[in-house]
Amino acid sequence: MGSIISIAVIRLSENQLSETIKLQDAVAPHHISISPDKTTLAVAITSTDLSGGHGGMDDSDKSFKVIILDAVTGLVKQTLLLPSMPHNAAFNAAGNELWLGQQNENSGTVLVFDTADWSIKAVITVVKDPSEVTFSTDGALAFVANTNDASISVIDPLSKTVLKTLQVGKEPVGAWPASDGNMYVDNESAQTVSIINVASTTVTETLALGFKPGYVAYQDNTKELWVSNATDGEVVIYQRGATGWLKKAAVPTGADAHAIAFSADKSLAYITNQGAHTVTVLDATTYVRIKELAIGRMPNGIITNQ
C-alpha cells in the first residue's frame, strides 16, 4: 500500500496538528496557495519528486493537475487536469483568476483560469520550463521563474502581456514577494538569490549563498531574509548591512528544509522539512525551537490562514 497523500492542518493557537485532509489520486503535491478571501485552496500535483531539485524535470507519463478545495470544509471543489507539470497555482489579487505554469518542449506557457467556472481565460507564452508563478505584494505584477532559461518573466496581470524577461542565476525556481518592494529569486544551481526591484523591474543585487536555496521569505518585523538550506537542514538568516545582506544566523530545523511561513504577527516561523517529515516551529525573533510537528510524508508547501 502506498503512502497517504494529504494536507495537514495545524491549529496555530496551539501549534498542534488538528486535521488531515486526504487527497485522492494525487502524487507529490507541491506548493499550496489560498485565495485572498481565505475560502479556497489550490494544490499543485506534480506526480514527481522534486525534493532533489527542479532542474531536468520529467513530463512523461505523469498525472498532472491542480486540486481546488474549500478552505473551511476541506472538500474538493474542482480538479484541473493538465498536460504538463504545475509547480504551483497562484491566485491574483482580486481572487477571480488562478495562474499556473506549464512547460512545453521548447517553450512554456502560463494558464490563467477564471475562478468563477474554472475555464481557461488566457494562455500567456513565456520561455522554457516555467516553475513557480507569483505576484508582487500589491498584485500589480506577476513573476514567472523559467528554471532552465535562468530568467524571470514579468507579466502585466491586466493585459496578460510579458513586459520583460530578466536574466537571473542558473535554475531559478520562484520569485518570492516581500513588503520591502522587492522579489527574491532562489537560484538553485547558481546558489544565489537574485533581488528584483518591483518598481523598476530590474535585478538590483545578487546574494551569494554558498548553498542551494529551497525557498526565500522576508521577515517584515525584523527586516530579515530567511533562506532554507535543504542540504544542511537549516534556515539561514540574513540582515541588511551597510555593504549588503550579511549572514546573521543558521538555525537547524530538519532534513531537506524547504518552505517558510510566518504567523500574522511575525512572531513565529513555520518550516517544512521534507526529509524529516516534520514542520519546525521557531520563535521568529530568538530563533528558539518552539515545537517539532510530525506532519506526514515529505511536507512541501505551507501557508498560514489568519
PDB file of all heavy atoms in Angstrom, residues 160-195:
ATOM      1  N   LYS A 160      -2.253  40.783 -19.590  1.00  0.00           N
ATOM      2  CA  LYS A 160      -1.729  39.431 -19.815  1.00  0.00           C
ATOM      3  C   LYS A 160      -0.565  39.437 -20.816  1.00  0.00           C
ATOM      4  O   LYS A 160      -0.367  38.488 -21.565  1.00  0.00           O
ATOM      5  CB  LYS A 160      -2.825  38.476 -20.306  1.00  0.00           C
ATOM      6  CG  LYS A 160      -4.110  38.470 -19.476  1.00  0.00           C
ATOM      7  CD  LYS A 160      -3.904  37.924 -18.103  1.00  0.00           C
ATOM      8  CE  LYS A 160      -5.213  37.671 -17.356  1.00  0.00           C
ATOM      9  NZ  LYS A 160      -5.937  38.895 -16.969  1.00  0.00           N
ATOM     10  N   THR A 161       0.220  40.509 -20.807  1.00  0.00           N
ATOM     11  CA  THR A 161       1.377  40.609 -21.697  1.00  0.00           C
ATOM     12  C   THR A 161       2.672  40.556 -20.903  1.00  0.00           C
ATOM     13  O   THR A 161       2.744  41.033 -19.762  1.00  0.00           O
ATOM     14  CB  THR A 161       1.345  41.922 -22.504  1.00  0.00           C
ATOM     15  OG1 THR A 161       1.278  43.029 -21.588  1.00  0.00           O
ATOM     16  CG2 THR A 161       0.153  41.958 -23.436  1.00  0.00           C
ATOM     17  N   VAL A 162       3.696  39.951 -21.517  1.00  0.00           N
ATOM     18  CA  VAL A 162       5.019  39.891 -20.901  1.00  0.00           C
ATOM     19  C   VAL A 162       5.700  41.239 -21.095  1.00  0.00           C
ATOM     20  O   VAL A 162       5.910  41.689 -22.235  1.00  0.00           O
ATOM     21  CB  VAL A 162       5.868  38.759 -21.510  1.00  0.00           C
ATOM     22  CG1 VAL A 162       7.271  38.764 -20.902  1.00  0.00           C
ATOM     23  CG2 VAL A 162       5.195  37.412 -21.291  1.00  0.00           C
ATOM     24  N   LEU A 163       6.040  41.890 -19.999  1.00  0.00           N
ATOM     25  CA  LEU A 163       6.670  43.204 -20.052  1.00  0.00           C
ATOM     26  C   LEU A 163       8.174  43.107 -20.213  1.00  0.00           C
ATOM     27  O   LEU A 163       8.781  43.896 -20.945  1.00  0.00           O
ATOM     28  CB  LEU A 163       6.343  43.991 -18.776  1.00  0.00           C
ATOM     29  CG  LEU A 163       4.854  44.188 -18.461  1.00  0.00           C
ATOM     30  CD1 LEU A 163       4.698  44.907 -17.136  1.00  0.00           C
ATOM     31  CD2 LEU A 163       4.174  44.958 -19.583  1.00  0.00           C
ATOM     32  N   LYS A 164       8.766  42.145 -19.526  1.00  0.00           N
ATOM     33  CA  LYS A 164      10.224  41.977 -19.547  1.00  0.00           C
ATOM     34  C   LYS A 164      10.577  40.526 -19.271  1.00  0.00           C
ATOM     35  O   LYS A 164       9.805  39.796 -18.636  1.00  0.00           O
ATOM     36  CB  LYS A 164      10.904  42.831 -18.463  1.00  0.00           C
ATOM     37  CG  LYS A 164      11.063  44.293 -18.756  1.00  0.00           C
ATOM     38  CD  LYS A 164      11.876  44.958 -17.641  1.00  0.00           C
ATOM     39  CE  LYS A 164      12.084  46.431 -17.895  1.00  0.00           C
ATOM     40  NZ  LYS A 164      12.894  47.082 -16.825  1.00  0.00           N
ATOM     41  N   THR A 165      11.751  40.125 -19.731  1.00  0.00           N
ATOM     42  CA  THR A 165      12.350  38.858 -19.310  1.00  0.00           C
ATOM     43  C   THR A 165      13.712  39.186 -18.727  1.00  0.00           C
ATOM     44  O   THR A 165      14.597  39.694 -19.427  1.00  0.00           O
ATOM     45  CB  THR A 165      12.481  37.881 -20.494  1.00  0.00           C
ATOM     46  OG1 THR A 165      11.181  37.627 -21.039  1.00  0.00           O
ATOM     47  CG2 THR A 165      13.089  36.565 -20.029  1.00  0.00           C
ATOM     48  N   LEU A 166      13.871  38.941 -17.435  1.00  0.00           N
ATOM     49  CA  LEU A 166      15.081  39.314 -16.704  1.00  0.00           C
ATOM     50  C   LEU A 166      15.985  38.110 -16.521  1.00  0.00           C
ATOM     51  O   LEU A 166      15.536  37.053 -16.083  1.00  0.00           O
ATOM     52  CB  LEU A 166      14.711  39.883 -15.335  1.00  0.00           C
ATOM     53  CG  LEU A 166      13.740  41.072 -15.317  1.00  0.00           C
ATOM     54  CD1 LEU A 166      13.365  41.410 -13.877  1.00  0.00           C
ATOM     55  CD2 LEU A 166      14.355  42.279 -16.002  1.00  0.00           C
ATOM     56  N   GLN A 167      17.258  38.258 -16.818  1.00  0.00           N
ATOM     57  CA  GLN A 167      18.222  37.188 -16.584  1.00  0.00           C
ATOM     58  C   GLN A 167      18.612  37.170 -15.109  1.00  0.00           C
ATOM     59  O   GLN A 167      18.919  38.215 -14.525  1.00  0.00           O
ATOM     60  CB  GLN A 167      19.465  37.375 -17.462  1.00  0.00           C
ATOM     61  CG  GLN A 167      19.184  37.196 -18.946  1.00  0.00           C
ATOM     62  CD  GLN A 167      18.598  35.825 -19.272  1.00  0.00           C
ATOM     63  OE1 GLN A 167      19.177  34.798 -18.915  1.00  0.00           O
ATOM     64  NE2 GLN A 167      17.448  35.805 -19.934  1.00  0.00           N
ATOM     65  N   VAL A 168      18.587  35.970 -14.535  1.00  0.00           N
ATOM     66  CA  VAL A 168      18.975  35.801 -13.133  1.00  0.00           C
ATOM     67  C   VAL A 168      20.021  34.688 -13.058  1.00  0.00           C
ATOM     68  O   VAL A 168      20.757  34.466 -14.006  1.00  0.00           O
ATOM     69  CB  VAL A 168      17.740  35.509 -12.255  1.00  0.00           C
ATOM     70  CG1 VAL A 168      16.863  36.758 -12.144  1.00  0.00           C
ATOM     71  CG2 VAL A 168      16.917  34.349 -12.789  1.00  0.00           C
ATOM     72  N   GLY A 169      20.099  33.960 -11.949  1.00  0.00           N
ATOM     73  CA  GLY A 169      21.067  32.873 -11.823  1.00  0.00           C
ATOM     74  C   GLY A 169      20.547  31.572 -12.414  1.00  0.00           C
ATOM     75  O   GLY A 169      19.371  31.447 -12.780  1.00  0.00           O
ATOM     76  N   LYS A 170      21.397  30.592 -12.479  1.00  0.00           N
ATOM     77  CA  LYS A 170      21.036  29.306 -13.070  1.00  0.00           C
ATOM     78  C   LYS A 170      20.012  28.564 -12.216  1.00  0.00           C
ATOM     79  O   LYS A 170      20.127  28.491 -11.008  1.00  0.00           O
ATOM     80  CB  LYS A 170      22.287  28.438 -13.223  1.00  0.00           C
ATOM     81  CG  LYS A 170      22.045  27.147 -14.016  1.00  0.00           C
ATOM     82  CD  LYS A 170      23.336  26.367 -14.217  1.00  0.00           C
ATOM     83  CE  LYS A 170      23.066  25.074 -14.998  1.00  0.00           C
ATOM     84  NZ  LYS A 170      24.293  24.276 -15.179  1.00  0.00           N
ATOM     85  N   GLU A 171      18.973  28.051 -12.866  1.00  0.00           N
ATOM     86  CA  GLU A 171      17.874  27.294 -12.264  1.00  0.00           C
ATOM     87  C   GLU A 171      17.110  28.081 -11.200  1.00  0.00           C
ATOM     88  O   GLU A 171      17.014  27.671 -10.040  1.00  0.00           O
ATOM     89  CB  GLU A 171      18.366  25.950 -11.703  1.00  0.00           C
ATOM     90  CG  GLU A 171      18.763  24.962 -12.783  1.00  0.00           C
ATOM     91  CD  GLU A 171      19.056  23.565 -12.248  1.00  0.00           C
ATOM     92  OE1 GLU A 171      18.941  23.341 -11.033  1.00  0.00           O
ATOM     93  OE2 GLU A 171      19.409  22.714 -13.063  1.00  0.00           O
ATOM     94  N   PRO A 172      16.505  29.193 -11.602  1.00  0.00           N
ATOM     95  CA  PRO A 172      15.592  29.881 -10.679  1.00  0.00           C
ATOM     96  C   PRO A 172      14.318  29.068 -10.503  1.00  0.00           C
ATOM     97  O   PRO A 172      13.828  28.449 -11.453  1.00  0.00           O
ATOM     98  CB  PRO A 172      15.312  31.200 -11.397  1.00  0.00           C
ATOM     99  CG  PRO A 172      15.426  30.853 -12.850  1.00  0.00           C
ATOM    100  CD  PRO A 172      16.539  29.825 -12.921  1.00  0.00           C
ATOM    101  N   VAL A 173      13.788  29.045  -9.299  1.00  0.00           N
ATOM    102  CA  VAL A 173      12.577  28.275  -9.020  1.00  0.00           C
ATOM    103  C   VAL A 173      11.387  29.188  -8.738  1.00  0.00           C
ATOM    104  O   VAL A 173      10.287  28.949  -9.214  1.00  0.00           O
ATOM    105  CB  VAL A 173      12.803  27.297  -7.856  1.00  0.00           C
ATOM    106  CG1 VAL A 173      11.504  26.610  -7.464  1.00  0.00           C
ATOM    107  CG2 VAL A 173      13.848  26.263  -8.244  1.00  0.00           C
ATOM    108  N   GLY A 174      11.590  30.236  -7.961  1.00  0.00           N
ATOM    109  CA  GLY A 174      10.490  31.134  -7.655  1.00  0.00           C
ATOM    110  C   GLY A 174      10.985  32.531  -7.347  1.00  0.00           C
ATOM    111  O   GLY A 174      12.104  32.704  -6.851  1.00  0.00           O
ATOM    112  N   ALA A 175      10.157  33.531  -7.667  1.00  0.00           N
ATOM    113  CA  ALA A 175      10.416  34.912  -7.256  1.00  0.00           C
ATOM    114  C   ALA A 175       9.443  35.199  -6.119  1.00  0.00           C
ATOM    115  O   ALA A 175       8.237  35.284  -6.335  1.00  0.00           O
ATOM    116  CB  ALA A 175      10.200  35.869  -8.422  1.00  0.00           C
ATOM    117  N   TRP A 176       9.963  35.339  -4.913  1.00  0.00           N
ATOM    118  CA  TRP A 176       9.118  35.397  -3.724  1.00  0.00           C
ATOM    119  C   TRP A 176       8.911  36.849  -3.293  1.00  0.00           C
ATOM    120  O   TRP A 176       9.866  37.600  -3.123  1.00  0.00           O
ATOM    121  CB  TRP A 176       9.746  34.560  -2.610  1.00  0.00           C
ATOM    122  CG  TRP A 176      10.035  33.173  -3.076  1.00  0.00           C
ATOM    123  CD1 TRP A 176      11.257  32.619  -3.329  1.00  0.00           C
ATOM    124  CD2 TRP A 176       9.072  32.155  -3.409  1.00  0.00           C
ATOM    125  NE1 TRP A 176      11.120  31.328  -3.786  1.00  0.00           N
ATOM    126  CE2 TRP A 176       9.787  31.018  -3.848  1.00  0.00           C
ATOM    127  CE3 TRP A 176       7.681  32.096  -3.369  1.00  0.00           C
ATOM    128  CZ2 TRP A 176       9.159  29.847  -4.247  1.00  0.00           C
ATOM    129  CZ3 TRP A 176       7.046  30.930  -3.766  1.00  0.00           C
ATOM    130  CH2 TRP A 176       7.785  29.824  -4.192  1.00  0.00           C
ATOM    131  N   PRO A 177       7.650  37.261  -3.105  1.00  0.00           N
ATOM    132  CA  PRO A 177       7.339  38.661  -2.815  1.00  0.00           C
ATOM    133  C   PRO A 177       7.715  39.071  -1.404  1.00  0.00           C
ATOM    134  O   PRO A 177       7.703  38.265  -0.479  1.00  0.00           O
ATOM    135  CB  PRO A 177       5.827  38.731  -3.020  1.00  0.00           C
ATOM    136  CG  PRO A 177       5.347  37.336  -2.739  1.00  0.00           C
ATOM    137  CD  PRO A 177       6.441  36.419  -3.208  1.00  0.00           C
ATOM    138  N   ALA A 178       8.023  40.361  -1.258  1.00  0.00           N
ATOM    139  CA  ALA A 178       8.374  40.913   0.054  1.00  0.00           C
ATOM    140  C   ALA A 178       7.802  42.309   0.177  1.00  0.00           C
ATOM    141  O   ALA A 178       7.628  43.023  -0.818  1.00  0.00           O
ATOM    142  CB  ALA A 178       9.889  40.937   0.237  1.00  0.00           C
ATOM    143  N   SER A 179       7.542  42.718   1.408  1.00  0.00           N
ATOM    144  CA  SER A 179       6.937  44.021   1.670  1.00  0.00           C
ATOM    145  C   SER A 179       7.914  45.173   1.502  1.00  0.00           C
ATOM    146  O   SER A 179       7.527  46.337   1.571  1.00  0.00           O
ATOM    147  CB  SER A 179       6.362  44.049   3.094  1.00  0.00           C
ATOM    148  OG  SER A 179       7.398  43.848   4.046  1.00  0.00           O
ATOM    149  N   ASP A 180       9.199  44.879   1.257  1.00  0.00           N
ATOM    150  CA  ASP A 180      10.196  45.938   1.062  1.00  0.00           C
ATOM    151  C   ASP A 180      10.274  46.398  -0.386  1.00  0.00           C
ATOM    152  O   ASP A 180      11.181  47.153  -0.755  1.00  0.00           O
ATOM    153  CB  ASP A 180      11.571  45.481   1.562  1.00  0.00           C
ATOM    154  CG  ASP A 180      12.151  44.335   0.741  1.00  0.00           C
ATOM    155  OD1 ASP A 180      11.421  43.756  -0.095  1.00  0.00           O
ATOM    156  OD2 ASP A 180      13.340  44.009   0.935  1.00  0.00           O
ATOM    157  N   GLY A 181       9.342  45.943  -1.230  1.00  0.00           N
ATOM    158  CA  GLY A 181       9.319  46.377  -2.618  1.00  0.00           C
ATOM    159  C   GLY A 181      10.162  45.546  -3.550  1.00  0.00           C
ATOM    160  O   GLY A 181      10.375  45.929  -4.711  1.00  0.00           O
ATOM    161  N   ASN A 182      10.621  44.389  -3.075  1.00  0.00           N
ATOM    162  CA  ASN A 182      11.459  43.513  -3.887  1.00  0.00           C
ATOM    163  C   ASN A 182      10.809  42.146  -4.083  1.00  0.00           C
ATOM    164  O   ASN A 182       9.898  41.756  -3.350  1.00  0.00           O
ATOM    165  CB  ASN A 182      12.834  43.318  -3.238  1.00  0.00           C
ATOM    166  CG  ASN A 182      13.657  44.581  -3.200  1.00  0.00           C
ATOM    167  OD1 ASN A 182      13.712  45.329  -4.180  1.00  0.00           O
ATOM    168  ND2 ASN A 182      14.301  44.851  -2.068  1.00  0.00           N
ATOM    169  N   MET A 183      11.315  41.417  -5.078  1.00  0.00           N
ATOM    170  CA  MET A 183      11.051  39.999  -5.253  1.00  0.00           C
ATOM    171  C   MET A 183      12.392  39.294  -5.085  1.00  0.00           C
ATOM    172  O   MET A 183      13.425  39.760  -5.611  1.00  0.00           O
ATOM    173  CB  MET A 183      10.479  39.700  -6.633  1.00  0.00           C
ATOM    174  CG  MET A 183       9.220  40.458  -6.991  1.00  0.00           C
ATOM    175  SD  MET A 183       7.745  39.978  -6.063  1.00  0.00           S
ATOM    176  CE  MET A 183       7.387  38.358  -6.758  1.00  0.00           C
ATOM    177  N   TYR A 184      12.393  38.178  -4.360  1.00  0.00           N
ATOM    178  CA  TYR A 184      13.633  37.456  -4.084  1.00  0.00           C
ATOM    179  C   TYR A 184      13.596  36.107  -4.799  1.00  0.00           C
ATOM    180  O   TYR A 184      12.736  35.271  -4.529  1.00  0.00           O
ATOM    181  CB  TYR A 184      13.818  37.282  -2.577  1.00  0.00           C
ATOM    182  CG  TYR A 184      14.088  38.601  -1.874  1.00  0.00           C
ATOM    183  CD1 TYR A 184      13.042  39.388  -1.385  1.00  0.00           C
ATOM    184  CD2 TYR A 184      15.383  39.078  -1.732  1.00  0.00           C
ATOM    185  CE1 TYR A 184      13.282  40.605  -0.769  1.00  0.00           C
ATOM    186  CE2 TYR A 184      15.645  40.295  -1.111  1.00  0.00           C
ATOM    187  CZ  TYR A 184      14.585  41.047  -0.629  1.00  0.00           C
ATOM    188  OH  TYR A 184      14.844  42.263  -0.030  1.00  0.00           O
ATOM    189  N   VAL A 185      14.529  35.899  -5.717  1.00  0.00           N
ATOM    190  CA  VAL A 185      14.545  34.726  -6.587  1.00  0.00           C
ATOM    191  C   VAL A 185      15.574  33.717  -6.079  1.00  0.00           C
ATOM    192  O   VAL A 185      16.762  34.056  -5.946  1.00  0.00           O
ATOM    193  CB  VAL A 185      14.897  35.122  -8.037  1.00  0.00           C
ATOM    194  CG1 VAL A 185      14.857  33.893  -8.943  1.00  0.00           C
ATOM    195  CG2 VAL A 185      13.967  36.212  -8.537  1.00  0.00           C
ATOM    196  N   ASP A 186      15.122  32.487  -5.799  1.00  0.00           N
ATOM    197  CA  ASP A 186      16.059  31.446  -5.375  1.00  0.00           C
ATOM    198  C   ASP A 186      16.569  30.699  -6.606  1.00  0.00           C
ATOM    199  O   ASP A 186      15.819  30.054  -7.317  1.00  0.00           O
ATOM    200  CB  ASP A 186      15.416  30.486  -4.362  1.00  0.00           C
ATOM    201  CG  ASP A 186      14.084  29.920  -4.825  1.00  0.00           C
ATOM    202  OD1 ASP A 186      13.453  30.523  -5.719  1.00  0.00           O
ATOM    203  OD2 ASP A 186      13.664  28.876  -4.297  1.00  0.00           O
ATOM    204  N   ASN A 187      17.872  30.816  -6.857  1.00  0.00           N
ATOM    205  CA  ASN A 187      18.532  30.174  -7.988  1.00  0.00           C
ATOM    206  C   ASN A 187      19.270  28.931  -7.480  1.00  0.00           C
ATOM    207  O   ASN A 187      20.303  29.046  -6.827  1.00  0.00           O
ATOM    208  CB  ASN A 187      19.517  31.134  -8.652  1.00  0.00           C
ATOM    209  CG  ASN A 187      18.871  32.453  -9.052  1.00  0.00           C
ATOM    210  OD1 ASN A 187      17.867  32.470  -9.738  1.00  0.00           O
ATOM    211  ND2 ASN A 187      19.450  33.556  -8.606  1.00  0.00           N
ATOM    212  N   GLU A 188      18.728  27.748  -7.778  1.00  0.00           N
ATOM    213  CA  GLU A 188      19.243  26.521  -7.170  1.00  0.00           C
ATOM    214  C   GLU A 188      20.692  26.226  -7.555  1.00  0.00           C
ATOM    215  O   GLU A 188      21.559  26.098  -6.686  1.00  0.00           O
ATOM    216  CB  GLU A 188      18.347  25.335  -7.536  1.00  0.00           C
ATOM    217  CG  GLU A 188      17.031  25.326  -6.810  1.00  0.00           C
ATOM    218  CD  GLU A 188      16.262  24.028  -6.990  1.00  0.00           C
ATOM    219  OE1 GLU A 188      16.575  23.267  -7.930  1.00  0.00           O
ATOM    220  OE2 GLU A 188      15.355  23.764  -6.192  1.00  0.00           O
ATOM    221  N   SER A 189      20.968  26.048  -8.845  1.00  0.00           N
ATOM    222  CA  SER A 189      22.321  25.659  -9.259  1.00  0.00           C
ATOM    223  C   SER A 189      23.334  26.769  -9.037  1.00  0.00           C
ATOM    224  O   SER A 189      24.500  26.512  -8.725  1.00  0.00           O
ATOM    225  CB  SER A 189      22.324  25.242 -10.739  1.00  0.00           C
ATOM    226  OG  SER A 189      21.643  24.028 -10.909  1.00  0.00           O
ATOM    227  N   ALA A 190      22.911  28.018  -9.212  1.00  0.00           N
ATOM    228  CA  ALA A 190      23.827  29.149  -9.004  1.00  0.00           C
ATOM    229  C   ALA A 190      24.126  29.365  -7.532  1.00  0.00           C
ATOM    230  O   ALA A 190      25.112  30.014  -7.187  1.00  0.00           O
ATOM    231  CB  ALA A 190      23.227  30.411  -9.605  1.00  0.00           C
ATOM    232  N   GLN A 191      23.256  28.830  -6.659  1.00  0.00           N
ATOM    233  CA  GLN A 191      23.382  29.005  -5.209  1.00  0.00           C
ATOM    234  C   GLN A 191      23.403  30.492  -4.838  1.00  0.00           C
ATOM    235  O   GLN A 191      24.233  30.965  -4.061  1.00  0.00           O
ATOM    236  CB  GLN A 191      24.626  28.285  -4.674  1.00  0.00           C
ATOM    237  CG  GLN A 191      24.586  26.784  -4.900  1.00  0.00           C
ATOM    238  CD  GLN A 191      25.670  26.028  -4.170  1.00  0.00           C
ATOM    239  OE1 GLN A 191      26.551  26.615  -3.538  1.00  0.00           O
ATOM    240  NE2 GLN A 191      25.610  24.714  -4.224  1.00  0.00           N
ATOM    241  N   THR A 192      22.458  31.205  -5.434  1.00  0.00           N
ATOM    242  CA  THR A 192      22.342  32.637  -5.192  1.00  0.00           C
ATOM    243  C   THR A 192      20.879  33.024  -5.023  1.00  0.00           C
ATOM    244  O   THR A 192      19.980  32.239  -5.309  1.00  0.00           O
ATOM    245  CB  THR A 192      22.925  33.451  -6.360  1.00  0.00           C
ATOM    246  OG1 THR A 192      22.188  33.153  -7.559  1.00  0.00           O
ATOM    247  CG2 THR A 192      24.396  33.168  -6.575  1.00  0.00           C
ATOM    248  N   VAL A 193      20.675  34.259  -4.578  1.00  0.00           N
ATOM    249  CA  VAL A 193      19.360  34.893  -4.587  1.00  0.00           C
ATOM    250  C   VAL A 193      19.478  36.168  -5.408  1.00  0.00           C
ATOM    251  O   VAL A 193      20.311  37.038  -5.107  1.00  0.00           O
ATOM    252  CB  VAL A 193      18.872  35.218  -3.167  1.00  0.00           C
ATOM    253  CG1 VAL A 193      17.601  36.078  -3.215  1.00  0.00           C
ATOM    254  CG2 VAL A 193      18.616  33.944  -2.382  1.00  0.00           C
ATOM    255  N   SER A 194      18.684  36.269  -6.470  1.00  0.00           N
ATOM    256  CA  SER A 194      18.610  37.496  -7.267  1.00  0.00           C
ATOM    257  C   SER A 194      17.524  38.386  -6.687  1.00  0.00           C
ATOM    258  O   SER A 194      16.428  37.918  -6.376  1.00  0.00           O
ATOM    259  CB  SER A 194      18.295  37.184  -8.728  1.00  0.00           C
ATOM    260  OG  SER A 194      19.307  36.394  -9.319  1.00  0.00           O
ATOM    261  N   ILE A 195      17.835  39.666  -6.549  1.00  0.00           N
ATOM    262  CA  ILE A 195      16.894  40.606  -5.958  1.00  0.00           C
ATOM    263  C   ILE A 195      16.361  41.526  -7.056  1.00  0.00           C
ATOM    264  O   ILE A 195      17.118  42.233  -7.716  1.00  0.00           O
ATOM    265  CB  ILE A 195      17.564  41.416  -4.837  1.00  0.00           C
ATOM    266  CG1 ILE A 195      18.100  40.450  -3.755  1.00  0.00           C
ATOM    267  CG2 ILE A 195      16.587  42.420  -4.225  1.00  0.00           C
ATOM    268  CD1 ILE A 195      18.982  41.090  -2.728  1.00  0.00           C
TER     269      ILE A 195
END
